[in-house]
Structures are given as C-alpha cells and as structure tokens.
Amino acid sequence: MDILTELNPAQRDAVQAINGPVLIIAGPGSGKTRVITHRVAYLIKECKVSPHRIMAVTFTNKAAKEMKARLDKLASTAVKELTLGTFHAICARILRQDGEAIGISHQFVIYDDDDQTSLIKRAMQELNLDPKQHTPSAIQNKISFAKSQILSPKEFIETGRNYFEEVVGRVYERYEQLLKQSSALDFDDLLMKTVELFKTKPDVLTKYQQRYLHILVDEFQDTNLVQYELVKLIAGKYRNICVVGDPDQSIYSWRSADVRNILNFEKDYPGAKVVLLEQNYRSTKNIIETATCVIATNKERKPNGLWTENEAGDKVTITETYNEQEEAQFVVSEVDKLVREAKFRAGECAVMYRTNAQSRALEEAFIRYGLPYRLVAGTKFYERKEVKDIIAYLRYIHNPDDSVSLMRIINVPGRGIGQRTLAELSNWAKSLGLTETGLLKLLVDIKTEHSPFNSRITQSLVSFARMIENLRAKNMDSNLMDFFDMVTGQTGFQKYLLAESDGEERWENILELRTVAEEYQEVPSPDGLAAFLEGITLVADVDSLDQTMDSVTLITLHQAKGLEFPVVFIVGMEEGVLPHIKSFDDPAQMEEERRLCYVGITRAKRKVYLCRAFRRNLMGGSLVNEASRFLSDIPRELVSNSGSLSSEEAIASAVYSWNKTAVFTPSENILELKAGDHVRHARFGEGVVINYQSVKNDAQATVEFNGVGQKKLLLSFAKLEKI
DNA sequence: CGAAAGGCTCTTTTT
DNA sequence: GAGCCTTTCG
C-alpha cells in the first residue's frame, strides 16, 4: 500500500516534511490522526528510519493505543520499537531507567491526586497550618503549577509575592521531603524530574538526543512549560520535531497548558515549516458552520479557513426544557427515537456535559428508560475506596518506603491501630531517623516489653509487619495472580469487604482489578507487580472507553477531545454551566469555555443537539439560568427550532416543553404489577418485582434481574413484559 | 479504639 | 447532596 496516495495535498505535505521543525495546524476532523500515523509509517518505510529512533507523544493512552493499532496495519515493521505514549508514561520509563543519576529510587511509586492530597495534608499538619485558613487543594494546585513551571521549592519561595505563596512555599518544601522519603513521585514530578535529569546530567541527555532522530507531539496546544522544555531538550540535536495541534481546541489552561507553546512555535524554531489542515472530513456543512460561528467571537485567535465538501445535513437542534430531569428525558427519548427509526445505533450517540455532576440526571433517565449507556469516569474506577485500598497494599509491599499507602491500609480491615497509635508511630520513627517500616521491623525484633506501645497494640503492629514481610517475600517467586489472591486473602481484606453492606458489589470491583492484573502475568515476578502498578497509575478513564459496545456514551467535554460521534448532545447550555460560572470574571477563561463548546460541537459527524434547562438543581438549591451566550452566536437559519429565548419566553417555553414531555410519555397501558411478579426486559432479561408503586400517571418498579442486580424502572418507558 | 451522628464546606475540567 | 472532619459515647 502506498502511504501517500490516500492523502490530500496539505496532508501529503505534512507527512513528507521530515527535516527540521514542522508545525501542523489541524482543524477538527481534518485527518490529523491520519497524518501522524502516515508520517510515522513514511519515516519507517520510505525513509528507512529505525522505529527505535522515533518518539511519538500523545495526549492519552487511548490515543497511543489507537495509533499503535493503525501503524500495525500501515507499516507492519516492529512498531514495538517505537517510543509511543503520553508524556507521563514516557517520562516514567526514562526515570525508571536513568532516574538514579539524580537520586530517584529504582522502586519509585507514582502518587496520584489523592495520595498527593494526603501527603500535603500531612505536611501542613507538621507545619501547624490550619487547613481552614489555606485549603489543601488550593496549595496542591499552586504546587502543581510551580512544578509545571519547573520551579523548585527554593525557586518558588524566592519568587513568592504574597503571604499565601510564602505558605505554599513552605508546604512545598516539606512535601518534597516527604515524597523523597516515600520514594514516590507525583504526576508533575514525572515531567519535572526528567527535565532536571536532562539538565544536570548531560551524558544522559546526549544519550536520548542521539537516539531520537524524529519527535512528534500531538495536541501541542495543550502542552505546558515543562513538556515544552522536555521536547526542546530531546530534540536539541537533530531538531526534527513535528508538532500537531489546534489553538482553537486548547482547553487545558487550568492544568497550566499554555497555548503560546503552539502560537510561538515559529519564533522558537525559526524556519519551521507550517502546514495548515483545513478541510474537514468529519462533519456536515451545518455543523461546521455552527461551530465556526461559536468560535468566531473569541478575540485571542487567528481566524482559520475550516471548510468541508460534505453535504449540508440536518440543522442543529436547540431545545429548552423545564429542568435537568426533563432535559435528560428529552435526550433519552430522542436517542430512542433515532434508534427505533434505524437512523443510528445507540453506540453512535454521545451526551456531553461541562461537569461530571451533570451525568447524574442523565444516568437516572437512561436507567429508567432501560437504554444502555456507558459513563466515562463518574466515580472513577481507580478512585473507588476498595480499589485504592488494594492498590495501597500492593504498593506498600512493592515499596516499603511508601508511607501514604501504609497509613491508608494499616488499619483496613480494623486491627485496633488508631489515629493516636499512628501519630506516635510516625513521631517515634522520625525521632529515630527511621521510616515507619523500619520502625515496624525494629518492633518485630525487640522484646515486647521494650515497646512503647501497650502489649495489645504491639501485638497488632508486629503481626501486621510480619504479614507484610511474608507477602513481600511471596511476591519474589509467585505468579502475579496467585500473589494477588494471597494479598486479598491473607490481609483479611476479602472477608472484611464481603461483610460490608454493599460488599458483594465492591468485591466485584476488586475482581475487576484482578482481571487488569492478568495482563501483566507474563512479566516475571517480582517485576510483574511493578509493571502492573505503573500501568494502572497512568491510566485515565477515557483510555478504557470502548466505542464498539452499542451503548450511548456519557462524557465530559474535556474527555471528548479527540473523539467523534455521529450524534452529539451537549446538555447544560446555560450561563453558569457552559460557560461555567467560574469563568465569568476572566475573559481568557471565558474564551476557553467557548473553545470547549467548539470542541463539543465539532465532535459530531451528522447531528448536533444543544440542550438547555430553565431550572437546574445544584447543591440542594435550585437555580434559574439564562440561555448560554454561545447559543446566541448561532444564526437562526442553522437551527431547526427556535433559538435563544428571553427569560419571559423561557417560562412559556417551560410550560410548552412540559406539555411536550407529556406527549412523548406513552401513559397508556401501564403495566400493573405487585411484588413477587416475574417480568422480562429486553436488555436485563428475566427478574422478580421487589417493589411497585404508582407515581402520578405512571408507576415505578424495582426489579431484581437474574445476574444483573436491582434496577429501578419507570414503567411508562421500560418495556416490561409480565411472565 | 471505633461506630455513629452531626456539622461543615465545596463542587470545573484531568495526565 | 456528598464527602470530609470532628465530636460523642460505648
């Protein structure tokens, strides 16, 4: 297969410009992924560059996986040799390899957000800082920002310009010490320490510079300073650096991403070749025009020439409903309609929203209707308590210095080791210059009467320490699966979990985690555990999104970047939601909200629905929001029903849509059921009615489905059959 | 020590 | 409305 034939001239240009710096500005749907993969394939097949000497950086692991799959088809050569992954994953690998040169333990663990918070809290406690005066999360954000700017605690303190920053500086300093003691790195460290490694160890840098003849970076508009520096360092020798991005899709400034990286690329890399990809292959003309009108209002941007040869297609639908329940109901019934009319499959539809909390009303509606959906994130799998607990056990076994994990699990299940004991343990360890684990080992060796704790507690601590030591030894020569089972069994965790009220369900999450571990089985022990731990820490939830399943995708606008769906619903098109209220007093942030909206609209291939609720519940209270300003930027001729409404009209519309809802609620033949009745559902199969109650003109039934569990169903929607 | 209850504060987006 | 923290009592 010829790599170049199926490309348009601009795309071909982008693929073939292999010498020197290249900037590719790629509008949405312009075949960006295709260009990147073809470029890599071109380098390997036509230019005979060894895959070993190519680095390709993606924004998510999912994007990396996808690219790998595409390359396998395009250039069947050893794609394994490629360095392909997110910045974080690539840096983790580099530090695992060469981090020791700057004092990073070979065994380091990666702390996620949660772990970071607990460590910051501990640092604050030690410094006698009141968490009410300075919230840990504010401090965490600031530290993260400092790291993204490659500022050490010392440098940060020097540049501090107010009291708060001075406080942050002190916490930052102590936090770093605690991280070091725990042999741990946080997410930002992965990047910052790699830059530090390169800057202080020229020989290491040279090694990587010489290796990577070609570097590609995707989603360049969302890189931050650390990432920018990193790329600059590695590309320092050959300068064959190709970056791809779209300033209009920059939506991560809150994570310190800096659009200037892409806007100033030509200045920083003089002579860079610039390629514009402006033809959109994804969306209909109406969708492109709508998106263009929305983004055009931004002042801080260069206009682009996005266009498409695609048909005009359907007009954009704008709906107003009374509240978010009705909004969700509208979405669900509309999806149902599209599916019933055989226009689209459920899996081709996505519902996008600004904040995760908005998924709730949607989920409820999908459940009631009995329509399949998949939620990306939500209570994220790896953030569930039971999952984090087991991971903490595994991590602590892997790395005895990991005090955050130790503190998390030393009393889970309860072993009579409480707050007081732990505080004493920490203090005593500190005064002896030992880690907590070191102290526990000491306790095992000395006579019980020499322990400063009472005998019951000493006994507890000693048996805990012995158990962990035993497991640590087991990890050395056991199969990863056997080892996993030993951990859940011998720690008493399984028993403890199953005794909890919702234990069954939570235990299933552990089994789910176990299946993830299966992927690392072939890695010989003890490295299998290390590989597993690293794999799960750097995974985002979008990474696991499998679009082949035939169910509607519920996803945040941020996560939706880089994806495409035939049908897109954007809900919560209201002032305060999208744009989010936090952006009201900052024009730059407001522009980012607009870009977010733009990203959402441009995910759609065929159909766009923009939904708004007149009233919305937020933290108990109920708010009346005006229509999003973004809606008023869309010309009426692109919209199939009425555009923005004034607030007086909104009330009329609320009444109108209330009636409309009643119309598409088929209130005839509501099935009458009682507890104990057997029923059948198209998706959930057979089950037994547990509870049944009438609600207005409708009825709600709780049904225990065989092998599926309990579901609450609204009978006007769910197609139940009595058997 | 730990379970239960009450009180508080936030809620944007995530590798 | 939840999640976190503190208080209280057994």
Side-chain angles (χ1 to χ4, degrees), chain A residues 88 354 356 416 421 540 556 619:
Chain A
H88 291 87
R354 177 67 236 263
N356 279 306
T421 309
T556 65
M619 293 186 259

Coordinates of all heavy atoms in Angstrom, one line a residue, chain A residues 88 354 356 416 421 540 556 619, chain B residues 1-2 10-15:
Chain A
H88 N 3.6 11.5 30.4 CA 3.8 11.0 31.7 C 4.4 9.5 31.6 O 5.3 9.2 32.3 CB 2.5 11.0 32.5 CG 2.1 12.4 32.9 ND1 1.3 13.2 32.1 CD2 2.3 13.1 34.0 CE1 1.2 14.3 32.6 NE2 1.7 14.3 33.8
R354 N -20.5 19.8 30.8 CA -19.4 20.5 31.4 C -18.8 19.9 32.6 O -17.6 19.8 32.8 CB -19.8 21.9 31.6 CG -18.8 22.9 32.3 CD -17.7 23.2 31.3 NE -16.4 22.8 31.9 CZ -15.6 23.7 32.5 NH1 -15.9 25.0 32.5 NH2 -14.5 23.3 33.0
N356 N -18.9 16.8 35.7 CA -19.2 15.4 36.0 C -20.6 15.2 36.7 O -21.3 14.3 36.5 CB -18.2 14.7 36.8 CG -17.0 14.3 36.0 OD1 -17.2 13.6 35.0 ND2 -15.8 14.8 36.3
G416 N -7.2 -2.5 65.3 CA -7.1 -1.8 66.6 C -5.9 -0.8 66.6 O -5.4 -0.5 67.6
T421 N -2.2 5.9 67.9 CA -1.0 5.0 67.7 C -0.2 5.4 66.4 O 1.0 5.4 66.5 CB -1.6 3.5 67.5 OG1 -2.5 3.2 68.5 CG2 -0.4 2.5 67.4
A540 N -6.0 7.0 32.3 CA -7.1 7.8 32.5 C -8.4 7.0 32.1 O -8.3 6.0 31.5 CB -7.0 9.1 31.6
T556 N -17.6 13.9 29.6 CA -17.4 15.4 29.8 C -16.8 15.9 28.5 O -16.2 15.2 27.7 CB -16.4 15.7 30.9 OG1 -15.1 15.3 30.5 CG2 -16.8 15.2 32.2
M619 N -26.4 21.6 44.3 CA -26.1 21.5 45.8 C -27.4 21.8 46.6 O -27.4 22.8 47.4 CB -25.1 22.5 46.2 CG -23.7 22.3 45.7 SD -22.7 23.6 46.4 CE -22.5 24.7 45.1
Chain B
dC1 P -5.8 4.4 69.7 OP1 -4.7 3.8 68.9 OP2 -6.4 5.7 69.3 O5' -7.1 3.4 69.6 C5' -6.9 2.0 69.6 C4' -8.2 1.4 69.3 O4' -9.2 1.7 70.3 C3' -8.8 1.8 67.9 O3' -9.2 0.7 67.2 C2' -9.9 2.8 68.3 C1' -10.3 2.2 69.7 N1 -10.8 3.3 70.6 C2 -12.2 3.3 71.1 O2 -12.9 2.4 70.7 N3 -12.6 4.3 71.9 C4 -11.8 5.2 72.3 N4 -12.2 6.1 73.1 C5 -10.4 5.3 71.8 C6 -10.0 4.3 71.0
dG2 P -9.7 0.9 65.7 OP1 -9.5 -0.4 65.1 OP2 -9.2 2.1 65.2 O5' -11.3 1.1 65.9 C5' -12.1 0.0 66.3 C4' -13.5 0.4 66.3 O4' -13.7 1.5 67.3 C3' -13.9 1.1 65.0 O3' -15.3 0.8 64.7 C2' -13.7 2.5 65.2 C1' -14.3 2.6 66.6 N9 -13.9 3.8 67.4 C8 -12.7 4.5 67.3 N7 -12.7 5.5 68.2 C5 -13.9 5.5 68.8 C6 -14.5 6.3 69.8 O6 -14.0 7.3 70.3 N1 -15.8 5.9 70.2 C2 -16.4 4.8 69.6 N2 -17.6 4.6 70.1 N3 -15.9 4.0 68.7 C4 -14.7 4.4 68.3
dC10 P -14.6 26.1 51.7 OP1 -13.2 25.9 52.1 OP2 -15.3 27.4 52.1 O5' -14.6 26.1 50.1 C5' -15.8 25.6 49.5 C4' -15.6 24.3 48.9 O4' -16.5 23.3 49.4 C3' -15.8 24.3 47.4 O3' -15.0 23.4 46.8 C2' -17.3 23.9 47.3 C1' -17.4 22.9 48.4 N1 -18.8 23.0 49.1 C2 -19.6 21.8 49.0 O2 -19.1 20.8 48.5 N3 -20.8 21.9 49.6 C4 -21.2 23.0 50.2 N4 -22.4 23.0 50.7 C5 -20.4 24.1 50.2 C6 -19.2 24.1 49.6
dT11 P -13.9 23.5 45.9 OP1 -13.4 22.1 46.1 OP2 -13.0 24.6 46.1 O5' -14.5 23.7 44.5 C5' -15.8 24.0 44.4 C4' -16.4 22.9 43.5 O4' -17.0 21.9 44.3 C3' -17.6 23.5 42.6 O3' -17.1 24.2 41.5 C2' -18.3 22.1 42.3 C1' -18.1 21.4 43.6 N1 -19.3 21.6 44.4 C2 -20.2 20.5 44.6 O2 -19.9 19.4 44.1 N3 -21.2 20.7 45.4 C4 -21.6 21.9 46.0 O4 -22.6 21.9 46.7 C5 -20.7 23.0 45.8 C7 -21.0 24.3 46.5 C6 -19.6 22.8 45.0
dT12 P -15.4 23.5 41.3 OP1 -16.1 22.5 42.0 OP2 -13.9 23.6 41.6 O5' -15.4 23.3 39.7 C5' -16.6 23.2 39.1 C4' -16.6 22.2 38.1 O4' -16.1 22.8 36.9 C3' -15.6 21.0 38.2 O3' -16.1 19.9 37.5 C2' -14.3 21.5 37.7 C1' -14.8 22.5 36.7 N1 -14.0 23.8 36.8 C2 -13.9 24.6 35.7 O2 -14.3 24.3 34.6 N3 -13.1 25.7 35.8 C4 -12.6 26.2 37.0 O4 -12.0 27.2 37.0 C5 -12.8 25.3 38.1 C7 -12.2 25.8 39.4 C6 -13.5 24.2 38.0
dT13 P -15.6 18.6 37.4 OP1 -16.7 17.7 37.0 OP2 -14.7 18.2 38.5 O5' -14.6 18.8 36.2 C5' -14.9 18.3 34.9 C4' -13.9 18.8 33.9 O4' -13.6 20.1 34.2 C3' -12.6 18.1 34.0 O3' -12.6 17.0 33.1 C2' -11.6 19.2 33.5 C1' -12.4 20.5 33.7 N1 -11.7 21.4 34.6 C2 -11.6 22.7 34.2 O2 -11.9 23.1 33.1 N3 -11.0 23.5 35.1 C4 -10.6 23.2 36.3 O4 -10.0 24.1 37.0 C5 -10.8 21.8 36.7 C7 -10.3 21.4 38.1 C6 -11.3 21.0 35.8
dT14 P -12.4 15.6 33.6 OP1 -13.0 14.7 32.7 OP2 -12.7 15.5 35.0 O5' -10.8 15.4 33.5 C5' -10.1 15.6 32.3 C4' -8.7 15.3 32.5 O4' -8.1 16.2 33.4 C3' -8.4 13.9 33.0 O3' -7.2 13.4 32.4 C2' -8.2 14.1 34.5 C1' -7.5 15.5 34.5 N1 -7.8 16.3 35.7 C2 -6.7 17.0 36.2 O2 -5.6 16.9 35.8 N3 -7.0 17.7 37.4 C4 -8.2 17.8 38.0 O4 -8.3 18.4 39.0 C5 -9.3 17.0 37.4 C7 -10.7 17.1 38.0 C6 -9.0 16.4 36.3
dT15 P -7.0 11.9 32.2 OP1 -7.7 11.6 30.9 OP2 -7.3 11.1 33.4 O5' -5.5 11.9 31.9 C5' -4.9 12.5 30.7 C4' -3.5 12.8 31.0 O4' -3.3 13.7 32.1 C3' -2.6 11.5 31.3 O3' -1.4 11.6 30.6 C2' -2.4 11.7 32.8 C1' -2.4 13.2 33.0 N1 -2.8 13.7 34.3 C2 -2.0 14.7 34.9 O2 -1.1 15.2 34.3 N3 -2.5 15.1 36.1 C4 -3.6 14.6 36.8 O4 -3.9 15.0 37.9 C5 -4.3 13.5 36.1 C7 -5.5 12.9 36.8 C6 -3.9 13.1 34.9

